[in-house]
Amino acid sequence: MALWDRFKESAATMQTQLTAKKNDLKSGAFRDASMAMCALVAAADGSVDPSERQRVASLITANDVLQNFPAADLQRRFDENVGKLQADFAFGKVGVLQEIAKAKKKPAEARAVIQIGIVIGGADGDFDKSEQGVVREACYALGLPPHEFDL
């Protein structure tokens, strides 16, 4: 099986797992970490163009798990994190990874944040090296082994 086919299958499986855990993923730490992860993946290549922003916005509103939270609140948190990353990527990334690390206390939430990052990263059909790299860094921030997610 081609690598991309394996990835698409893995992303679909992760979305199914996220949906199954929907009722357990309602904390503020999960919400904040998820939006930080979305911003980090969107800005992984150093910039966020309008089409990336739109794609992530539509995924935020369409994702079943994230419907536990008001869409406008999620969008605001995503935009704030993107703003930090666009102002100074290296410095902003430190703050965004700290936001992601908030989910570390609950292993189910930490894994769900990584899964959201992978789903967002693959949404355009290409989970590129820069996106994989920032999701790997998020694994370290959450105390999770990247190999658990094939990273």
Side-chain angles (χ1 to χ4, degrees):
M1 182 185 300
L3 178 64
W4 176 240
D5 291 334
R6 266 197 356 253
F7 171 73
K8 285 195 301 191
E9 188 176 293
S10 176
T13 301
M14 287 184 187
Q15 184 58 51
T16 302
Q17 291 170 349
L18 282 169
T19 302
K21 294 183 227 167
K22 179 180 179 179
N23 292 331
D24 299 330
L25 302 172
K26 294 183 176 181
S27 76
F30 172 72
R31 175 201 61 213
D32 295 351
S34 295
M35 291 305 94
M37 176 60 89
C38 289
L40 187 60
V41 171
D45 63 0
S47 68
V48 182
D49 62 46
S51 67
E52 272 182 308
R53 192 180 282 269
Q54 181 55 44
R55 188 177 67 247
V56 173
S58 64
L59 280 165
I60 288 170
T61 56
N63 188 295
D64 195 38
V65 175
L66 295 174
Q67 289 179 4
N68 285 331
F69 309 103
D73 185 37
L74 294 175
Q75 186 69 48
R76 181 183 58 76
R77 291 171 192 281
F78 170 74
D79 289 341
E80 285 174 5
N81 284 302
V82 167
K84 289 178 195 174
L85 292 163
Q86 287 181 320
D88 180 338
F89 185 77
F91 186 71
K93 186 165 79 166
V94 171
V96 170
L97 285 168
Q98 287 174 337
E99 200 72 19
I100 290 170
K102 287 181 177 182
K104 188 175 186 175
K105 293 177 188 154
K106 296 182 180 175
E109 289 185 359
R111 282 182 174 74
V113 169
I114 296 301
Q115 289 171 328
I116 284 174
I118 292 169
V119 169
I120 292 287
D124 64 353
D126 179 30
F127 189 40
D128 66 37
K129 293 286 183 205
S130 60
E131 292 167 338
Q132 291 175 32
V134 295
V135 174
R136 191 176 306 109
E137 287 183 67
C139 284
Y140 294 128
L142 291 165
L144 297 171
H147 69 268
E148 184 179 323
F149 303 93
D150 293 326
L151 295 170

PDB file of all heavy atoms in Angstrom, residues 12-48:
ATOM      1  N   ALA A  12      -8.412   8.763   8.682  1.00  0.00           N
ATOM      2  CA  ALA A  12      -9.831   8.396   8.812  1.00  0.00           C
ATOM      3  C   ALA A  12     -10.055   7.632  10.113  1.00  0.00           C
ATOM      4  O   ALA A  12     -11.039   7.871  10.824  1.00  0.00           O
ATOM      5  CB  ALA A  12     -10.272   7.567   7.611  1.00  0.00           C
ATOM      6  N   THR A  13      -9.133   6.725  10.452  1.00  0.00           N
ATOM      7  CA  THR A  13      -9.237   5.966  11.702  1.00  0.00           C
ATOM      8  C   THR A  13      -9.155   6.909  12.891  1.00  0.00           C
ATOM      9  O   THR A  13      -9.919   6.780  13.851  1.00  0.00           O
ATOM     10  CB  THR A  13      -8.101   4.919  11.784  1.00  0.00           C
ATOM     11  OG1 THR A  13      -8.220   4.048  10.665  1.00  0.00           O
ATOM     12  CG2 THR A  13      -8.162   4.114  13.064  1.00  0.00           C
ATOM     13  N   MET A  14      -8.244   7.884  12.830  1.00  0.00           N
ATOM     14  CA  MET A  14      -8.097   8.835  13.930  1.00  0.00           C
ATOM     15  C   MET A  14      -9.356   9.670  14.106  1.00  0.00           C
ATOM     16  O   MET A  14      -9.779   9.940  15.223  1.00  0.00           O
ATOM     17  CB  MET A  14      -6.871   9.720  13.719  1.00  0.00           C
ATOM     18  CG  MET A  14      -5.605   8.972  13.951  1.00  0.00           C
ATOM     19  SD  MET A  14      -4.184  10.047  13.816  1.00  0.00           S
ATOM     20  CE  MET A  14      -2.899   8.824  13.932  1.00  0.00           C
ATOM     21  N   GLN A  15      -9.971  10.084  13.002  1.00  0.00           N
ATOM     22  CA  GLN A  15     -11.209  10.856  13.110  1.00  0.00           C
ATOM     23  C   GLN A  15     -12.294  10.011  13.762  1.00  0.00           C
ATOM     24  O   GLN A  15     -13.049  10.497  14.597  1.00  0.00           O
ATOM     25  CB  GLN A  15     -11.650  11.359  11.738  1.00  0.00           C
ATOM     26  CG  GLN A  15     -12.879  12.262  11.806  1.00  0.00           C
ATOM     27  CD  GLN A  15     -12.680  13.480  12.695  1.00  0.00           C
ATOM     28  OE1 GLN A  15     -11.721  14.220  12.580  1.00  0.00           O
ATOM     29  NE2 GLN A  15     -13.583  13.691  13.632  1.00  0.00           N
ATOM     30  N   THR A  16     -12.380   8.732  13.427  1.00  0.00           N
ATOM     31  CA  THR A  16     -13.359   7.831  14.036  1.00  0.00           C
ATOM     32  C   THR A  16     -13.099   7.702  15.529  1.00  0.00           C
ATOM     33  O   THR A  16     -14.034   7.741  16.337  1.00  0.00           O
ATOM     34  CB  THR A  16     -13.299   6.438  13.357  1.00  0.00           C
ATOM     35  OG1 THR A  16     -13.542   6.618  11.963  1.00  0.00           O
ATOM     36  CG2 THR A  16     -14.311   5.484  13.937  1.00  0.00           C
ATOM     37  N   GLN A  17     -11.826   7.561  15.910  1.00  0.00           N
ATOM     38  CA  GLN A  17     -11.469   7.461  17.328  1.00  0.00           C
ATOM     39  C   GLN A  17     -11.827   8.746  18.072  1.00  0.00           C
ATOM     40  O   GLN A  17     -12.332   8.700  19.199  1.00  0.00           O
ATOM     41  CB  GLN A  17      -9.973   7.172  17.482  1.00  0.00           C
ATOM     42  CG  GLN A  17      -9.563   5.795  17.028  1.00  0.00           C
ATOM     43  CD  GLN A  17      -8.047   5.629  16.958  1.00  0.00           C
ATOM     44  OE1 GLN A  17      -7.279   6.591  17.048  1.00  0.00           O
ATOM     45  NE2 GLN A  17      -7.614   4.395  16.775  1.00  0.00           N
ATOM     46  N   LEU A  18     -11.567   9.887  17.446  1.00  0.00           N
ATOM     47  CA  LEU A  18     -11.915  11.171  18.064  1.00  0.00           C
ATOM     48  C   LEU A  18     -13.418  11.266  18.305  1.00  0.00           C
ATOM     49  O   LEU A  18     -13.865  11.673  19.379  1.00  0.00           O
ATOM     50  CB  LEU A  18     -11.469  12.336  17.176  1.00  0.00           C
ATOM     51  CG  LEU A  18      -9.994  12.693  17.197  1.00  0.00           C
ATOM     52  CD1 LEU A  18      -9.680  13.672  16.079  1.00  0.00           C
ATOM     53  CD2 LEU A  18      -9.606  13.270  18.538  1.00  0.00           C
ATOM     54  N   THR A  19     -14.193  10.897  17.305  1.00  0.00           N
ATOM     55  CA  THR A  19     -15.650  10.969  17.415  1.00  0.00           C
ATOM     56  C   THR A  19     -16.144  10.069  18.540  1.00  0.00           C
ATOM     57  O   THR A  19     -17.040  10.444  19.293  1.00  0.00           O
ATOM     58  CB  THR A  19     -16.304  10.602  16.068  1.00  0.00           C
ATOM     59  OG1 THR A  19     -15.803  11.514  15.080  1.00  0.00           O
ATOM     60  CG2 THR A  19     -17.813  10.732  16.125  1.00  0.00           C
ATOM     61  N   ALA A  20     -15.544   8.897  18.678  1.00  0.00           N
ATOM     62  CA  ALA A  20     -15.945   7.968  19.732  1.00  0.00           C
ATOM     63  C   ALA A  20     -15.682   8.550  21.124  1.00  0.00           C
ATOM     64  O   ALA A  20     -16.396   8.238  22.076  1.00  0.00           O
ATOM     65  CB  ALA A  20     -15.207   6.645  19.565  1.00  0.00           C
ATOM     66  N   LYS A  21     -14.666   9.418  21.240  1.00  0.00           N
ATOM     67  CA  LYS A  21     -14.310  10.013  22.534  1.00  0.00           C
ATOM     68  C   LYS A  21     -14.949  11.389  22.751  1.00  0.00           C
ATOM     69  O   LYS A  21     -14.630  12.068  23.707  1.00  0.00           O
ATOM     70  CB  LYS A  21     -12.796  10.173  22.630  1.00  0.00           C
ATOM     71  CG  LYS A  21     -12.028   8.888  22.651  1.00  0.00           C
ATOM     72  CD  LYS A  21     -10.560   9.219  22.823  1.00  0.00           C
ATOM     73  CE  LYS A  21      -9.740   8.451  21.829  1.00  0.00           C
ATOM     74  NZ  LYS A  21      -8.383   8.900  21.711  1.00  0.00           N
ATOM     75  N   LYS A  22     -15.822  11.797  21.867  1.00  0.00           N
ATOM     76  CA  LYS A  22     -16.366  13.157  21.885  1.00  0.00           C
ATOM     77  C   LYS A  22     -16.834  13.596  23.271  1.00  0.00           C
ATOM     78  O   LYS A  22     -16.546  14.705  23.706  1.00  0.00           O
ATOM     79  CB  LYS A  22     -17.524  13.267  20.886  1.00  0.00           C
ATOM     80  CG  LYS A  22     -18.154  14.640  20.854  1.00  0.00           C
ATOM     81  CD  LYS A  22     -19.281  14.719  19.858  1.00  0.00           C
ATOM     82  CE  LYS A  22     -19.886  16.119  19.908  1.00  0.00           C
ATOM     83  NZ  LYS A  22     -20.964  16.276  18.965  1.00  0.00           N
ATOM     84  N   ASN A  23     -17.528  12.734  23.992  1.00  0.00           N
ATOM     85  CA  ASN A  23     -18.075  13.118  25.302  1.00  0.00           C
ATOM     86  C   ASN A  23     -17.010  13.301  26.368  1.00  0.00           C
ATOM     87  O   ASN A  23     -17.262  13.908  27.400  1.00  0.00           O
ATOM     88  CB  ASN A  23     -19.115  12.097  25.753  1.00  0.00           C
ATOM     89  CG  ASN A  23     -20.360  12.140  24.888  1.00  0.00           C
ATOM     90  OD1 ASN A  23     -20.707  13.187  24.341  1.00  0.00           O
ATOM     91  ND2 ASN A  23     -21.019  11.012  24.732  1.00  0.00           N
ATOM     92  N   ASP A  24     -15.806  12.760  26.122  1.00  0.00           N
ATOM     93  CA  ASP A  24     -14.715  12.913  27.086  1.00  0.00           C
ATOM     94  C   ASP A  24     -13.849  14.132  26.794  1.00  0.00           C
ATOM     95  O   ASP A  24     -12.955  14.457  27.564  1.00  0.00           O
ATOM     96  CB  ASP A  24     -13.812  11.673  27.055  1.00  0.00           C
ATOM     97  CG  ASP A  24     -14.555  10.402  27.427  1.00  0.00           C
ATOM     98  OD1 ASP A  24     -15.518  10.483  28.212  1.00  0.00           O
ATOM     99  OD2 ASP A  24     -14.185   9.337  26.908  1.00  0.00           O
ATOM    100  N   LEU A  25     -14.112  14.797  25.682  1.00  0.00           N
ATOM    101  CA  LEU A  25     -13.235  15.882  25.230  1.00  0.00           C
ATOM    102  C   LEU A  25     -13.960  17.227  25.309  1.00  0.00           C
ATOM    103  O   LEU A  25     -14.246  17.858  24.300  1.00  0.00           O
ATOM    104  CB  LEU A  25     -12.759  15.591  23.801  1.00  0.00           C
ATOM    105  CG  LEU A  25     -12.017  14.263  23.610  1.00  0.00           C
ATOM    106  CD1 LEU A  25     -11.773  13.984  22.136  1.00  0.00           C
ATOM    107  CD2 LEU A  25     -10.723  14.239  24.401  1.00  0.00           C
ATOM    108  N   LYS A  26     -14.236  17.651  26.538  1.00  0.00           N
ATOM    109  CA  LYS A  26     -14.997  18.885  26.716  1.00  0.00           C
ATOM    110  C   LYS A  26     -14.277  19.930  27.562  1.00  0.00           C
ATOM    111  O   LYS A  26     -14.840  20.980  27.860  1.00  0.00           O
ATOM    112  CB  LYS A  26     -16.350  18.573  27.361  1.00  0.00           C
ATOM    113  CG  LYS A  26     -17.254  17.759  26.468  1.00  0.00           C
ATOM    114  CD  LYS A  26     -18.612  17.540  27.102  1.00  0.00           C
ATOM    115  CE  LYS A  26     -19.520  16.799  26.141  1.00  0.00           C
ATOM    116  NZ  LYS A  26     -20.847  16.579  26.706  1.00  0.00           N
ATOM    117  N   SER A  27     -13.037  19.670  27.948  1.00  0.00           N
ATOM    118  CA  SER A  27     -12.359  20.600  28.855  1.00  0.00           C
ATOM    119  C   SER A  27     -11.807  21.813  28.114  1.00  0.00           C
ATOM    120  O   SER A  27     -11.564  21.777  26.905  1.00  0.00           O
ATOM    121  CB  SER A  27     -11.209  19.883  29.577  1.00  0.00           C
ATOM    122  OG  SER A  27     -10.105  19.730  28.706  1.00  0.00           O
ATOM    123  N   GLY A  28     -11.582  22.855  28.877  1.00  0.00           N
ATOM    124  CA  GLY A  28     -10.968  24.061  28.321  1.00  0.00           C
ATOM    125  C   GLY A  28      -9.545  23.799  27.855  1.00  0.00           C
ATOM    126  O   GLY A  28      -9.103  24.359  26.854  1.00  0.00           O
ATOM    127  N   ALA A  29      -8.825  22.937  28.564  1.00  0.00           N
ATOM    128  CA  ALA A  29      -7.452  22.611  28.167  1.00  0.00           C
ATOM    129  C   ALA A  29      -7.445  21.925  26.803  1.00  0.00           C
ATOM    130  O   ALA A  29      -6.605  22.237  25.950  1.00  0.00           O
ATOM    131  CB  ALA A  29      -6.791  21.708  29.217  1.00  0.00           C
ATOM    132  N   PHE A  30      -8.379  21.023  26.575  1.00  0.00           N
ATOM    133  CA  PHE A  30      -8.469  20.354  25.276  1.00  0.00           C
ATOM    134  C   PHE A  30      -8.809  21.358  24.182  1.00  0.00           C
ATOM    135  O   PHE A  30      -8.202  21.359  23.117  1.00  0.00           O
ATOM    136  CB  PHE A  30      -9.499  19.220  25.307  1.00  0.00           C
ATOM    137  CG  PHE A  30      -9.770  18.639  23.948  1.00  0.00           C
ATOM    138  CD1 PHE A  30      -8.822  17.853  23.317  1.00  0.00           C
ATOM    139  CD2 PHE A  30     -10.948  18.930  23.284  1.00  0.00           C
ATOM    140  CE1 PHE A  30      -9.051  17.343  22.037  1.00  0.00           C
ATOM    141  CE2 PHE A  30     -11.187  18.423  22.012  1.00  0.00           C
ATOM    142  CZ  PHE A  30     -10.235  17.629  21.389  1.00  0.00           C
ATOM    143  N   ARG A  31      -9.770  22.228  24.457  1.00  0.00           N
ATOM    144  CA  ARG A  31     -10.167  23.257  23.479  1.00  0.00           C
ATOM    145  C   ARG A  31      -8.980  24.126  23.099  1.00  0.00           C
ATOM    146  O   ARG A  31      -8.679  24.317  21.922  1.00  0.00           O
ATOM    147  CB  ARG A  31     -11.290  24.109  24.084  1.00  0.00           C
ATOM    148  CG  ARG A  31     -11.716  25.287  23.223  1.00  0.00           C
ATOM    149  CD  ARG A  31     -12.418  26.350  24.051  1.00  0.00           C
ATOM    150  NE  ARG A  31     -11.499  26.852  25.075  1.00  0.00           N
ATOM    151  CZ  ARG A  31     -11.878  27.259  26.283  1.00  0.00           C
ATOM    152  NH1 ARG A  31     -13.142  27.251  26.644  1.00  0.00           N
ATOM    153  NH2 ARG A  31     -10.989  27.700  27.156  1.00  0.00           N
ATOM    154  N   ASP A  32      -8.270  24.629  24.104  1.00  0.00           N
ATOM    155  CA  ASP A  32      -7.142  25.524  23.857  1.00  0.00           C
ATOM    156  C   ASP A  32      -6.011  24.807  23.120  1.00  0.00           C
ATOM    157  O   ASP A  32      -5.433  25.350  22.179  1.00  0.00           O
ATOM    158  CB  ASP A  32      -6.613  26.087  25.183  1.00  0.00           C
ATOM    159  CG  ASP A  32      -7.629  26.980  25.887  1.00  0.00           C
ATOM    160  OD1 ASP A  32      -8.677  27.304  25.295  1.00  0.00           O
ATOM    161  OD2 ASP A  32      -7.367  27.342  27.055  1.00  0.00           O
ATOM    162  N   ALA A  33      -5.705  23.587  23.553  1.00  0.00           N
ATOM    163  CA  ALA A  33      -4.628  22.821  22.926  1.00  0.00           C
ATOM    164  C   ALA A  33      -4.983  22.465  21.483  1.00  0.00           C
ATOM    165  O   ALA A  33      -4.118  22.501  20.601  1.00  0.00           O
ATOM    166  CB  ALA A  33      -4.339  21.560  23.743  1.00  0.00           C
ATOM    167  N   SER A  34      -6.235  22.158  21.237  1.00  0.00           N
ATOM    168  CA  SER A  34      -6.661  21.807  19.874  1.00  0.00           C
ATOM    169  C   SER A  34      -6.517  22.986  18.923  1.00  0.00           C
ATOM    170  O   SER A  34      -6.041  22.835  17.790  1.00  0.00           O
ATOM    171  CB  SER A  34      -8.120  21.335  19.871  1.00  0.00           C
ATOM    172  OG  SER A  34      -8.244  20.147  20.594  1.00  0.00           O
ATOM    173  N   MET A  35      -6.920  24.161  19.360  1.00  0.00           N
ATOM    174  CA  MET A  35      -6.812  25.338  18.494  1.00  0.00           C
ATOM    175  C   MET A  35      -5.349  25.737  18.292  1.00  0.00           C
ATOM    176  O   MET A  35      -4.959  26.179  17.208  1.00  0.00           O
ATOM    177  CB  MET A  35      -7.627  26.509  19.062  1.00  0.00           C
ATOM    178  CG  MET A  35      -9.125  26.277  19.001  1.00  0.00           C
ATOM    179  SD  MET A  35      -9.739  25.889  17.338  1.00  0.00           S
ATOM    180  CE  MET A  35      -9.737  24.106  17.360  1.00  0.00           C
ATOM    181  N   ALA A  36      -4.535  25.563  19.327  1.00  0.00           N
ATOM    182  CA  ALA A  36      -3.104  25.827  19.185  1.00  0.00           C
ATOM    183  C   ALA A  36      -2.502  24.847  18.175  1.00  0.00           C
ATOM    184  O   ALA A  36      -1.691  25.239  17.329  1.00  0.00           O
ATOM    185  CB  ALA A  36      -2.414  25.718  20.542  1.00  0.00           C
ATOM    186  N   MET A  37      -2.917  23.591  18.240  1.00  0.00           N
ATOM    187  CA  MET A  37      -2.419  22.584  17.298  1.00  0.00           C
ATOM    188  C   MET A  37      -2.839  22.923  15.876  1.00  0.00           C
ATOM    189  O   MET A  37      -2.024  22.842  14.946  1.00  0.00           O
ATOM    190  CB  MET A  37      -2.946  21.199  17.685  1.00  0.00           C
ATOM    191  CG  MET A  37      -2.557  20.113  16.695  1.00  0.00           C
ATOM    192  SD  MET A  37      -0.782  19.892  16.500  1.00  0.00           S
ATOM    193  CE  MET A  37      -0.493  18.707  17.780  1.00  0.00           C
ATOM    194  N   CYS A  38      -4.087  23.313  15.684  1.00  0.00           N
ATOM    195  CA  CYS A  38      -4.560  23.699  14.349  1.00  0.00           C
ATOM    196  C   CYS A  38      -3.724  24.839  13.789  1.00  0.00           C
ATOM    197  O   CYS A  38      -3.313  24.815  12.623  1.00  0.00           O
ATOM    198  CB  CYS A  38      -6.035  24.103  14.387  1.00  0.00           C
ATOM    199  SG  CYS A  38      -7.168  22.724  14.658  1.00  0.00           S
ATOM    200  N   ALA A  39      -3.444  25.836  14.617  1.00  0.00           N
ATOM    201  CA  ALA A  39      -2.648  26.985  14.172  1.00  0.00           C
ATOM    202  C   ALA A  39      -1.217  26.563  13.854  1.00  0.00           C
ATOM    203  O   ALA A  39      -0.653  26.984  12.838  1.00  0.00           O
ATOM    204  CB  ALA A  39      -2.651  28.074  15.242  1.00  0.00           C
ATOM    205  N   LEU A  40      -0.646  25.715  14.692  1.00  0.00           N
ATOM    206  CA  LEU A  40       0.726  25.276  14.485  1.00  0.00           C
ATOM    207  C   LEU A  40       0.863  24.503  13.174  1.00  0.00           C
ATOM    208  O   LEU A  40       1.799  24.730  12.403  1.00  0.00           O
ATOM    209  CB  LEU A  40       1.185  24.415  15.666  1.00  0.00           C
ATOM    210  CG  LEU A  40       2.654  24.018  15.685  1.00  0.00           C
ATOM    211  CD1 LEU A  40       3.551  25.253  15.725  1.00  0.00           C
ATOM    212  CD2 LEU A  40       2.928  23.122  16.885  1.00  0.00           C
ATOM    213  N   VAL A  41      -0.072  23.629  12.902  1.00  0.00           N
ATOM    214  CA  VAL A  41      -0.026  22.856  11.652  1.00  0.00           C
ATOM    215  C   VAL A  41      -0.249  23.781  10.451  1.00  0.00           C
ATOM    216  O   VAL A  41       0.450  23.675   9.441  1.00  0.00           O
ATOM    217  CB  VAL A  41      -1.050  21.697  11.672  1.00  0.00           C
ATOM    218  CG1 VAL A  41      -1.161  21.032  10.313  1.00  0.00           C
ATOM    219  CG2 VAL A  41      -0.650  20.666  12.730  1.00  0.00           C
ATOM    220  N   ALA A  42      -1.192  24.705  10.571  1.00  0.00           N
ATOM    221  CA  ALA A  42      -1.464  25.627   9.462  1.00  0.00           C
ATOM    222  C   ALA A  42      -0.246  26.495   9.142  1.00  0.00           C
ATOM    223  O   ALA A  42       0.011  26.813   7.990  1.00  0.00           O
ATOM    224  CB  ALA A  42      -2.666  26.506   9.786  1.00  0.00           C
ATOM    225  N   ALA A  43       0.512  26.857  10.183  1.00  0.00           N
ATOM    226  CA  ALA A  43       1.666  27.744   9.996  1.00  0.00           C
ATOM    227  C   ALA A  43       2.990  26.977   9.916  1.00  0.00           C
ATOM    228  O   ALA A  43       4.051  27.583   9.943  1.00  0.00           O
ATOM    229  CB  ALA A  43       1.731  28.745  11.147  1.00  0.00           C
ATOM    230  N   ALA A  44       2.931  25.671   9.780  1.00  0.00           N
ATOM    231  CA  ALA A  44       4.137  24.844   9.827  1.00  0.00           C
ATOM    232  C   ALA A  44       5.192  25.258   8.827  1.00  0.00           C
ATOM    233  O   ALA A  44       6.391  25.156   9.100  1.00  0.00           O
ATOM    234  CB  ALA A  44       3.766  23.371   9.623  1.00  0.00           C
ATOM    235  N   ASP A  45       4.777  25.755   7.668  1.00  0.00           N
ATOM    236  CA  ASP A  45       5.746  26.158   6.648  1.00  0.00           C
ATOM    237  C   ASP A  45       6.219  27.599   6.839  1.00  0.00           C
ATOM    238  O   ASP A  45       6.929  28.144   6.008  1.00  0.00           O
ATOM    239  CB  ASP A  45       5.167  25.971   5.247  1.00  0.00           C
ATOM    240  CG  ASP A  45       3.944  26.839   4.986  1.00  0.00           C
ATOM    241  OD1 ASP A  45       3.522  27.599   5.884  1.00  0.00           O
ATOM    242  OD2 ASP A  45       3.398  26.740   3.872  1.00  0.00           O
ATOM    243  N   GLY A  46       5.809  28.232   7.941  1.00  0.00           N
ATOM    244  CA  GLY A  46       6.252  29.589   8.248  1.00  0.00           C
ATOM    245  C   GLY A  46       5.250  30.668   7.914  1.00  0.00           C
ATOM    246  O   GLY A  46       5.428  31.821   8.267  1.00  0.00           O
ATOM    247  N   SER A  47       4.176  30.321   7.200  1.00  0.00           N
ATOM    248  CA  SER A  47       3.147  31.314   6.880  1.00  0.00           C
ATOM    249  C   SER A  47       1.791  30.627   6.784  1.00  0.00           C
ATOM    250  O   SER A  47       1.708  29.413   6.647  1.00  0.00           O
ATOM    251  CB  SER A  47       3.465  32.010   5.557  1.00  0.00           C
ATOM    252  OG  SER A  47       3.344  31.089   4.497  1.00  0.00           O
ATOM    253  N   VAL A  48       0.744  31.424   6.870  1.00  0.00           N
ATOM    254  CA  VAL A  48      -0.618  30.914   6.734  1.00  0.00           C
ATOM    255  C   VAL A  48      -1.300  31.737   5.654  1.00  0.00           C
ATOM    256  O   VAL A  48      -1.611  32.903   5.857  1.00  0.00           O
ATOM    257  CB  VAL A  48      -1.416  31.030   8.060  1.00  0.00           C
ATOM    258  CG1 VAL A  48      -2.808  30.460   7.896  1.00  0.00           C
ATOM    259  CG2 VAL A  48      -0.686  30.331   9.188  1.00  0.00           C
TER     260      VAL A  48
END
